[in-house]
């Protein structure tokens, strides 16, 4: 059963034990560096903890390692993605290897998804980056 305190604790432990790929992508997303879009990492949504989410754009980004090739994990991922989509989220999945080897390409796919949302929602994203010296965690 869903327990928000347990989910928050689990999310915190995931943030404290991020994979190299998660750290690499987070450096590009944190502090609204992607055209002013705010992302959260390891956020609880329902019974799940997602790798990254922009709540304003209803976009979830999941990073997958080799274990996601296993049949049972693929089936779990499909159920999870279907549930998140039913809540209104769009889910983008990237292989860890792609994040590490082609971060610019991953960021481009994310940016296009954000633009598609804004085109439908009718509000263009901010083209400005955060001011120099801005503090963030």
């Amino acid at each position: 059963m869903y327990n928000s305190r347990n989910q928050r604790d689990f999310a915190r432990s995931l943030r404290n034990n991020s994979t190299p790929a998660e750290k690499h992508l987070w450096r590009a997303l944190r502090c609204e560096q992607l055209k002013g879009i705010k992302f959260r990492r390891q956020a609880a949504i329902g019974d799940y903890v997602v790798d990254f989410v922009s709540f304003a754009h209803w976009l979830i980004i999941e990073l997958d390692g080799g274990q996601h090739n296993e049949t049972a994990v693929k089936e779990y991922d499909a159920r999870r993605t279907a549930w998140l989509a039913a809540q209104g989220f769009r889910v983008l999945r990237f292989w860890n290897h792609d994040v590490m080897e082609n971060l610019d390409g991953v960021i481009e796919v994310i940016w296009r998804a954000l633009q598609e949302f804004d085109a439908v929602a009718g509000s263009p994203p901010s083209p400005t980056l955060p001011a120099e010296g801005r503090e963030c965690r």
Side-chain angles (χ1 to χ4, degrees), residues 3-108:
N3 180 319
S4 63
R5 182 174 175 86
N6 289 346
Q7 288 299 90
R8 284 193 311 268
D9 291 344
F10 181 58
R12 183 177 299 114
S13 75
L14 290 173
R15 282 191 298 274
N16 291 333
N17 297 294
S18 297
T19 67
E22 289 169 343
K23 290 176 185 176
H24 194 54
L25 182 58
W26 183 238
R27 281 192 290 274
L29 297 178
R30 68 191 289 267
C31 297
E32 302 174 20
Q33 292 181 93
L34 185 60
K35 307 290 186 180
I37 306 298
K38 180 178 177 158
F39 280 89
R40 290 184 53 202
R41 65 184 172 126
Q42 304 302 344
I45 300 175
D47 288 341
Y48 301 107
V49 175
V50 300
D51 291 336
F52 303 96
V53 61
S54 169
F55 285 109
H57 288 81
W58 290 83
L59 181 66
I60 292 171
I61 302 165
E62 290 288 298
L63 303 186
D64 296 338
Q67 73 276 16
H68 290 267
N69 266 329
E70 297 174 12
T71 301
V73 178
K74 283 182 180 181
E75 291 169 358
Y76 172 81
D77 286 346
R79 286 191 308 273
R80 185 174 189 267
T81 297
W83 185 87
L84 292 165
Q87 307 313 303
F89 289 96
R90 181 170 178 191
V91 179
L92 298 179
R93 300 189 87 85
F94 299 98
W95 291 107
N96 288 343
H97 175 81
D98 291 335
V99 170
M100 299 304 290
E101 300 297 322
N102 185 19
L103 183 61
D104 289 343
V106 168
I107 293 296
E108 180 63 28

